Amino acid sequence: MTKTVLITGAGSGFGRLTAFDLSRQGYRVIAGVQIWPQAWQLRQEIAAEGLENIEVIKLDLLDDIDRAHALRYDVDVLFNNAGVAHSGTLTDVPMSLLRANFETNVFSVMELTKGFIRQMIERGNGKIVFNSSDAGLQTPPFGGAYSATKYAIEAIAATLREELKPKGIAVATVQPGLYLTGFNDTALEASTYWYDPETALLPGWEPPFTLAGQEDPQGMVDVIVKVITGEIATYRNVYPPSMEHETREVQAAEWDLTV
């Protein structure tokens, strides 16, 4: 039987590429996008690729109507991919943006996930994959707001893994490092809209708004697809390997840090 995967944030980046790759492997994909123009654009791209087993739906995680519509689908795997990033020093990032980051990346994700958990428990099986981040395991400067949301996702995923295991539901996480999807660069540039050097306590980002060392996202997508399909069975999946090595070193060093 063909398995169905629902992907949030499928309008671009990891979500879009994962939807296409899963479709090519024969999976039925429900591709959720935030706004209607993204739905139109993605449908044109799907048609151009000749893919027939991707259904595009509008799924703004903050929209009650959109979430209710998504929950009409019976899915085998939920890939929680959608998210936003607000960058800047925690001393200066507006509280409204910090709250907005949690609303999108944590609270709305959990609300959608709880709906599918009920469905999966009734069926007796299912899988939930969270797109966390390497920033959910180590915290870079200027990234505290985003990291805080991903640390929260790490805690949520770890808890659900234990709570849902007896119900036949698997939980896994993926932790991308630096990939060139546009997500990182726009997060840096967006901070210039609110940053005021006259009132800020600490320096902000300066152009160019492009992080060095970002890699081709396809390598991470290959890992995500294998986690979704079960070819990779590990719970935590930091990639690339160099980022996993760095993260392990940073976490180990924290035990010896002094104030």
Side-chain angles (χ1 to χ4, degrees), residues 2-258:
T2 300
K3 287 193 173 183
T4 300
V5 181
L6 188 146
I7 301 173
T8 67
S12 62
F14 295 131
R16 175 186 173 279
L17 293 172
T18 299
F20 278 36
D21 281 7
L22 284 171
S23 175
R24 294 187 184 104
Q25 291 189 27
Y27 285 79
R28 179 186 180 223
V29 178
I30 311 301
V33 299
Q34 184 181 18
I35 57 176
W36 285 115
Q38 286 180 316
W40 184 89
Q41 180 63 40
L42 187 57
R43 285 168 183 155
Q44 307 312 302
E45 295 171 353
I46 291 168
E49 291 288 329
L51 300 173
E52 299 180 351
N53 50 347
I54 303 180
E55 180 178 350
V56 181
I57 63 171
K58 180 179 177 294
L59 179 49
D60 179 346
L61 292 181
L62 299 176
D63 190 305
D64 293 343
I65 295 173
D66 286 2
R67 289 197 309 272
H69 177 80
L71 287 168
R72 297 174 186 172
Y73 291 88
D74 186 16
V75 306
D76 299 287
V77 182
L78 170 64
F79 178 35
N80 284 314
N81 169 71
V84 298
H86 292 294
S87 68
T89 58
L90 278 177
T91 55
D92 296 305
V93 64
M95 284 302 300
S96 62
L97 294 183
L98 181 59
R99 291 190 179 95
N101 221 154
F102 270 88
E103 283 293 342
T104 297
N105 291 9
V106 181
F107 302 136
S108 63
V109 169
M110 191 59 192
E111 192 155 8
L112 181 70
T113 301
K114 288 177 72 173
F116 281 111
I117 286 173
R118 179 176 296 277
Q119 177 189 116
M120 291 176 181
I121 287 177
E122 291 175 354
R123 190 176 62 234
N125 62 75
K127 177 183 280 188
I128 302 166
V129 179
F130 290 92
N131 192 359
S132 178
S133 172
D134 175 71
L137 302 172
Q138 60 167 318
T139 309
F142 293 90
Y146 176 70
S147 284
T149 66
K150 293 305 183 179
Y151 271 76
I153 287 297
E154 290 289 334
I156 287 170
T159 303
L160 290 178
R161 179 192 65 207
E162 297 304 317
E163 291 179 346
L164 297 178
K165 191 184 302 182
K167 298 294 184 179
I169 301 170
V171 177
T173 57
V174 292
Q175 290 82 4
L178 291 176
Y179 287 95
L180 191 59
T181 63
F183 184 83
N184 298 312
D185 300 338
T186 53
L188 306 191
E189 185 177 359
S191 67
T192 64
Y193 279 58
W194 57 262
Y195 181 76
D196 183 354
E198 298 298 321
T199 58
L201 297 174
L202 295 172
W205 285 113
E206 295 182 359
F209 304 111
T210 301
L211 288 175
Q214 297 185 84
E215 301 190 24
D216 184 336
Q218 188 61 52
M220 186 70 228
V221 171
D222 292 343
V223 172
I224 292 171
V225 168
K226 289 177 181 178
V227 171
I228 289 173
T229 62
E231 186 175 344
I232 292 177
T234 48
Y235 164 73
R236 175 174 290 170
N237 300 277
V238 181
Y239 201 80
S242 59
M243 185 61 74
E244 178 182 348
H245 178 71
E246 175 189 310
T247 302
R248 287 178 181 272
E249 286 190 334
V250 168
Q251 289 184 326
E254 287 181 343
W255 288 92
D256 298 318
L257 291 178
T258 56

